[in-house]
Amino acid sequence: MNNPFVRKLERGAELSAEDVALLERLSADPEPVAGGFDLIGEGDRPENVHLVMAGIACRYTILPDGGRQIMAYLVPGDLCDFHVAILGQMDHAIATLTPCQMVDLPRAVIDDLTDNHPRINRALWWSTLVDEAILRDWLVGMGRRDADAQLAHLFCELYARFETVGLAGPGPFVLPLTQEELGDTLGVSSVHINRVLTRLRREGLVVPGRGKITVPDIARLRAFADFDPSYLHLAKRTGDNGGEGRENAAPSEGDE
Amino acid sequence: MNNPFVRKLERGAELSAEDVALLERLSADPEPVAGGFDLIGEGDRPENVHLVMAGIACRYTILPDGGRQIMAYLVPGDLCDFHVAILGQMDHAIATLTPCQMVDLPRAVIDDLTDNHPRINRALWWSTLVDEAILRDWLVGMGRRDADAQLAHLFCELYARFETVGLAGPGPFVLPLTQEELGDTLGVSSVHINRVLTRLRREGLVVPGRGKITVPDIARLRAFADFDPSYLHLAKRTGDNGGEGRENAAPSEGDE
DNA sequence: CGTTTGATTGACACGAGTCAACACCAGTGG
DNA sequence: CCACTGGTGTTGACTCGTGTCAATCAAACG
């Protein structure tokens, strides 16, 4: 099963066969969007919720001095603005970074999912809380890691997230991001990103290319970055607070 | 009405009189906790949810090199770990910064609130999403603002959050935080915080004291920091997701 | 009182920004 | 097929923000 939306949400809750079928139906017909396209602007009150099925998008904001800060990457399986219904309006913008395949889910569909499908509701909130954990990790990176470790850490995180939805496995991992985008993510200049990448390349940890970065050996990069993925809360949980323990269910964590 | 828990949640949803009475009953009997006390450690699976009724606590993590990064301040009215039930275990720690008054809410009480009190449930999720927006704002600060603007920005945010729960008003605003704590928040050294504070003091924007910072004129600090509180989503919303009806009631931000 | 925590200040080193020049592809249109 | 063009990457020189170390001082506390 190759649907990244389903694969992701299955990490957040035990879905029934009907849940899976419903999610597959909702995400069955994605539409292509060009790279660099603004999906939602700051201050908008979007009617639909956007779902990424392929490609990479991002949350970002533009500062008075013109600088851009990317605050999150949105990868296949991610909902862009699930929470806007509660907060009212966007306090940041969302744009595609690469060409994407997107699904537009009407607000009513989301309301149906949260109101009438408790396991899906739980998975959606799990996803929101993981997003928050990722933000905290980025904050730690900006505050306490130098750019080398922070960049390596970011690549490890993205690898883990792509792997979760079946889009990364053993073998080289390619990230279609420019050095300027990476700079706007870490809060450093693209010139400095270039110097960091040069160092990492000399260590054999990454292979920069035009508009892309290749990670030849994720294990070595993880060691370099001292990467601990527990903040992603990917280990599939079974049972829990609400309903009595449902044991085991092999985590299938393996990288095949 | 002086209950910060109620005052905060009223910003997130229209609560009924019964909702308010229930929340007041739950938070009626706080217990004192000393400053610098660890409430929850990383990796814990806490049984109870902690509610701050007075004082300041924080989320933080300790890095391998011993450095501390503070990721959030928890002020009166804030729940410390509402989401642990869904994520399973803490990916960071929580400690008091100042002496606090805390309430321990059993997991079962939280489940009752979310399952049987839809307006409170909505307010709790609103609160979680605002926390996420605050994290994004901090990320922007770390990435794109110099330490002076970032620190001023932080003071403005904390003022707004204290004001929301009735603990800050016209007149000087005192923050009981040390320079080391501020450094661990912005990701800079306490020495540098000291130099930043010296500059801000010369501008008359803050008055540092031993273990505390006084903001004599919040309006001037807001101007200096170019502070826009919209990311806090404090404008009380009416109606709800179902209907359109909404009106952003005057923010009442005025400093009179 | 002595001890401790927090604040202050100076000297020096280093990470990262800025500016600028240049190299390199990829797509375009002639 | 080639020249042009614009986005991207690469590199060097210089500046500036911040870190580190260290000494000193001031206030709180037992």
Side-chain angles (χ1 to χ4, degrees):
Chain A
M1 205 275 300
N2 280 332
N3 186 308
F5 190 36
V6 174
R7 290 191 68 146
K8 176 170 181 185
L9 292 189
E10 281 182 327
R11 294 289 187 141
E14 286 288 335
L15 303 182
S16 69
E18 298 83 52
D19 292 334
V20 170
L22 171 58
L23 294 173
E24 283 186 327
R25 200 168 348 115
L26 290 175
S27 57
D29 191 23
E31 292 191 6
V33 176
F37 182 80
D38 261 299
L39 295 168
I40 315 175
E42 194 166 332
D44 283 3
R45 296 174 174 279
E47 273 309 296
N48 297 330
V49 172
H50 300 74
L51 166 64
V52 183
M53 290 298 284
I56 302 180
C58 71
R59 303 182 191 281
Y60 75 96
T61 196
I62 301 290
L63 288 111
D65 68 2
R68 173 175 68 164
Q69 176 67 50
I70 292 176
M71 297 176 253
Y73 285 116
L74 300 162
V75 305
D78 286 347
L79 286 173
C80 294
D81 33 29
F82 171 43
H83 39 42
V84 177
I86 285 182
L87 285 186
Q89 69 172 33
M90 296 292 297
D91 53 34
H92 60 277
I94 298 179
T96 58
L97 291 173
T98 71
C100 290
Q101 295 286 330
M102 307 286 302
V103 172
D104 270 22
L105 298 172
R107 177 80 54 83
V109 168
I110 296 293
D111 288 344
D112 173 57
L113 290 180
T114 57
D115 294 347
N116 305 321
H117 303 269
R119 290 172 301 270
I120 293 176
N121 180 52
R122 183 185 182 82
L124 289 172
W125 283 116
W126 165 85
S127 158
T128 296
L129 296 173
V130 169
D131 287 349
E132 199 177 312
I134 290 171
L135 272 172
R136 282 193 295 266
D137 188 70
W138 282 31
L139 202 70
V140 172
M142 314 256 303
R144 294 300 184 194
R145 288 195 261 263
D146 64 24
D148 297 50
Q150 198 187 347
L151 192 58
H153 210 269
L154 174 66
F155 293 159
C156 291
E157 176 194 306
L158 288 173
Y159 178 91
R161 291 168 64 187
F162 272 95
E163 186 190 34
T164 300
V165 293
L167 294 173
F173 173 56
V174 178
L175 266 174
L177 299 172
T178 67
Q179 298 184 7
E180 187 166 9
E181 288 160 352
L182 292 171
D184 288 344
T185 306
L186 303 207
V188 304
S189 67
S190 65
V191 174
H192 196 241
I193 288 287
N194 184 276
R195 293 185 169 120
V196 170
L197 282 174
T198 301
R199 281 196 289 272
L200 296 182
R201 171 162 45 80
R202 274 202 263 274
E203 300 286 331
L205 296 169
V206 305
V207 182
R210 186 186 177 71
K212 70 179 190 211
I213 312 289
T214 302
V215 178
D217 182 348
I218 190 66
R220 286 195 56 220
L221 194 65
R222 282 210 192 97
F224 174 83
D226 198 21
F227 181 72
D228 174 3
S230 59
Y231 71 97
L232 294 172
H233 297 272
L234 291 176
K236 198 181 238 176
R237 298 186 65 223
T238 57
D240 52 59
N241 71 330
E244 36 315 32
R246 187 185 312 253
E247 231 35 82
N248 75 42
S252 79
E253 262 302 24
D255 7 346
E256 354 331 26
Chain B
M1 204 274 299
N2 280 331
N3 186 307
F5 190 37
V6 175
R7 291 191 68 146
K8 176 170 182 187
L9 293 188
E10 281 180 329
R11 294 288 186 143
E14 285 290 333
L15 302 181
S16 70
E18 298 82 51
D19 292 333
V20 170
L22 171 58
L23 293 173
E24 283 185 327
R25 200 168 347 114
L26 289 175
S27 57
D29 191 23
E31 291 191 7
V33 176
F37 182 80
D38 262 299
L39 295 168
I40 315 175
E42 194 167 333
D44 283 3
R45 295 174 174 276
E47 273 310 294
N48 297 331
V49 172
H50 299 74
L51 166 64
V52 182
M53 291 298 283
I56 302 180
C58 71
R59 303 181 190 281
Y60 75 96
T61 196
I62 301 290
L63 288 111
D65 67 2
R68 173 175 67 163
Q69 176 67 49
I70 292 177
M71 296 177 255
Y73 285 117
L74 299 161
V75 305
D78 287 347
L79 286 172
C80 295
D81 35 27
F82 172 44
H83 38 42
V84 177
I86 286 182
L87 285 186
Q89 69 172 33
M90 296 292 296
D91 52 34
H92 60 277
I94 297 179
T96 58
L97 290 173
T98 72
C100 291
Q101 295 286 330
M102 307 287 303
V103 173
D104 271 21
L105 298 171
R107 176 80 53 84
V109 168
I110 296 293
D111 289 343
D112 174 57
L113 289 179
T114 57
D115 294 346
N116 305 322
H117 303 270
R119 290 172 301 271
I120 293 176
N121 180 51
R122 184 186 181 80
L124 289 172
W125 284 116
W126 164 84
S127 158
T128 297
L129 296 173
V130 170
D131 286 349
E132 199 177 312
I134 291 171
L135 272 172
R136 283 193 295 266
D137 189 69
W138 283 31
L139 202 69
V140 172
M142 315 254 305
R144 294 298 184 193
R145 288 195 260 263
D146 63 24
D148 297 50
Q150 198 187 347
L151 192 57
H153 210 270
L154 174 66
F155 293 160
C156 291
E157 176 194 307
L158 289 173
Y159 178 90
R161 292 169 64 187
F162 273 94
E163 186 191 33
T164 301
V165 292
L167 294 173
F173 174 56
V174 178
L175 267 174
L177 299 172
T178 68
Q179 298 184 7
E180 186 166 9
E181 287 160 352
L182 292 171
D184 288 344
T185 305
L186 303 207
V188 304
S189 66
S190 64
V191 174
H192 195 240
I193 287 286
N194 184 275
R195 294 187 167 119
V196 170
L197 282 174
T198 301
R199 282 195 289 271
L200 295 182
R201 171 162 46 78
R202 274 202 262 274
E203 300 285 331
L205 295 169
V206 305
V207 182
R210 185 185 175 74
K212 70 178 189 213
I213 313 288
T214 302
V215 178
D217 183 349
I218 189 67
R220 287 194 58 220
L221 195 65
R222 283 211 192 97
F224 174 83
D226 197 23
F227 181 72
D228 174 3
S230 59
Y231 72 97
L232 294 172
H233 297 274
L234 291 176
K236 198 182 241 177
R237 299 185 67 222
T238 58
D240 51 78
N241 66 331
E244 311 310 287
R246 60 184 296 63
E247 55 196 76
N248 22 18
S252 82
E253 264 302 21
D255 4 346
E256 311 31 13

